[in-house]
Each structure stands twice: as C-alpha cells, then as structure tokens.
Amino acid sequence: MDVKIEQEWKAQLSSEFEEEYFRLLTDFVREEYSRNTVYPAGRNIFKAFERCPFGSVKVVILGQDPYHEPEQAHGLCFSVREGVPFPPSLVNIFKEVESDTGAPFPQSGDLTRWADQGVLLLNATLTVRARQAGSHQNKGWERFTDAVVRRLDAGRDNIVYILWGAYAGRKGDFINRQRNLVLTSAHPSPLSSYRGFFGNKHFSRANDYLIACGKTPINW
C-alpha cells in the first residue's frame, strides 16, 4: 500500500503497510472521514512523522487520542493550532516547563517548534471522531504506533521516551532502558497532575541526558 508519509518513516514502516490490519484500518478511517467529522484533517494524520523524521528523533512524547473538539488537533500530541486556547493538559505541561527550566509560559500552543527540534509527538491513536473521545481506539492504530516505537528501539539509541500516565507507560514496556532514557509520571490532566506530574522535571532531565550523549538539548 502506498501510504503518504515522510520517506525515512516510510522505509522503516513499509512492512506494516502491507499487513491486513493496516488495510482494515485504512478502510475504517476512509469511511469515517466520508461519513463523520474526524480530527485531525486528513493531511495532518501523519504530521508528527513529517516534522520529525526517523533519523532526527531525540525525544518521544506519547499521547493517547487527538483532541476531539473543533480546531484543536493538528497531528501532534498535546499540541493545538496557532491561536487556539490551551486545553488543560497543555496548560499544565507549560507550567511544568516553566517551573523546571525557567522558560517563559509560551503564547502559542503549537508544538511544531518542539517537533522540528527532534521531538516525536506521537498519539497512540492518530484519528478521532469529533466530540467522541476514544472513538477510533482498537481499530488498528495502536498496533501501528507500537510498531513505530519498536522500530525506534531497534534502530536508534539514546532516545528519551517521556510517558505520562498508565496508558503511555504500558506502551513503553518493550523499550530497552539500557540504551535509552525512559521517564514516567502521572498524566498532565487536571485529574492527575498533582499526583506526580508537577515536579517530575522531565524536561530538564531529558536535556541533561541528551547533552551527556553529545546531542543538542531541546529548547522547550
């Protein structure tokens, strides 16, 4: 199957695109876009890969679903388009960045600036029906994004994996912790942020590790 995705990732994931589950997933997603309002826009489904090629990945942040309210999702987990009000989880992420690194609270919730520095902002499920959280779960996306993490684990070393919440934590079960740094904590959602997200210092810890590995740190 000819999937329109960044060329480095296409080479890494080509075998997935020939699997039966991916054909069924593609059929499901096409049907959903034809009958319902689905986020993000079709052109942005693989935006995380376009902005952060396989060989450029330094940090992986794992989310769950795209935002399901209008104008928010644009293909990068936790990110919203320019000018869109910040969802509560993103507000808490920026509070922790500010507390941890001293970086000022940003004016924009568009995290493309992180992606362009080597942060793969990957949701486990890459599409969602409008106003129906979790509506595209268990259709094949999770298997595909598991394959993404496995390819990175097999082909790259010294990557920082940032896993917030139990769902993301389970997705990191097969990451080699001898060759990479895996950071886990509570999710930044207001329901859990005070149970270990605030004060986790993941942003400075990620940069300390990247510097120790001879890599340029992220300007959070």
Side-chain angles (χ1 to χ4, degrees):
M1 183 181 297
D2 184 23
V3 177
K4 298 186 185 308
I5 192 171
E6 191 276 330
Q7 288 302 307
E8 287 186 28
W9 281 110
K10 190 170 188 175
Q12 290 292 325
L13 298 167
S14 58
S15 62
E16 295 300 311
F17 301 143
E18 303 307 318
E19 294 282 347
E20 177 67 5
Y21 88 87
F22 196 84
R23 184 189 66 78
L24 294 173
L25 170 63
T26 301
D27 290 346
F28 167 77
V29 170
R30 285 175 177 159
E31 181 74 5
E32 282 287 284
Y33 274 92
S34 72
R35 293 179 175 272
N36 303 288
T37 300
V38 176
Y39 302 127
R43 66 183 180 278
N44 288 330
I45 292 174
F46 295 116
K47 183 175 181 177
F49 304 94
E50 294 165 9
R51 305 303 303 218
C52 190
F54 181 82
S56 301
V57 178
K58 295 190 286 189
V59 178
V60 178
I61 297 180
L62 283 171
Q64 191 164 348
D65 284 347
Y67 295 123
H68 57 270
E69 294 296 330
E71 304 299 321
Q72 293 181 322
H74 66 134
L76 306 176
C77 74
F78 295 107
S79 179
V80 292
R81 302 194 311 176
E82 189 77 30
V84 174
F86 302 169
S89 291
L90 186 57
V91 170
N92 287 341
I93 288 169
F94 287 153
K95 285 180 178 178
E96 178 60 21
V97 170
E98 186 175 39
S99 172
D100 183 18
T101 71
F105 201 93
Q107 298 299 307
S108 172
D110 186 343
L111 301 181
T112 302
R113 61 187 182 274
W114 291 5
D116 289 345
Q117 296 178 77
V119 182
L120 181 66
L121 295 161
L122 181 67
N123 277 313
T125 303
L126 299 188
T127 55
V128 69
R129 193 181 295 181
R131 296 188 171 90
Q132 294 186 40
S135 51
H136 286 189
Q137 291 179 6
N138 302 314
K139 301 296 184 181
W141 278 131
E142 294 90 344
R143 180 171 169 181
F144 174 72
T145 51
D146 275 354
V148 170
V149 177
R150 290 183 187 277
R151 294 296 193 284
L152 282 169
D153 189 58
R156 297 285 314 283
D157 292 339
N158 304 134
I159 290 176
V160 182
Y161 293 87
I162 295 179
L163 313 177
W164 294 323
Y167 185 92
R170 289 192 298 272
K171 207 165 181 68
D173 285 347
F174 45 77
I175 296 168
N176 187 319
R177 284 157 166 78
Q178 302 303 312
R179 296 187 287 104
N180 304 282
L181 177 64
V182 179
L183 301 174
T184 61
S185 79
H187 193 275
S189 161
L191 297 175
S192 58
S193 56
Y194 287 95
R195 299 202 299 268
F197 176 77
F198 287 128
N200 65 25
K201 298 190 179 299
H202 281 181
F203 302 100
S204 61
R205 291 171 66 188
N207 277 350
D208 289 346
Y209 180 80
L210 292 174
I211 292 168
C213 294
K215 299 182 180 183
T216 304
I218 305 300
N219 181 10
W220 301 109

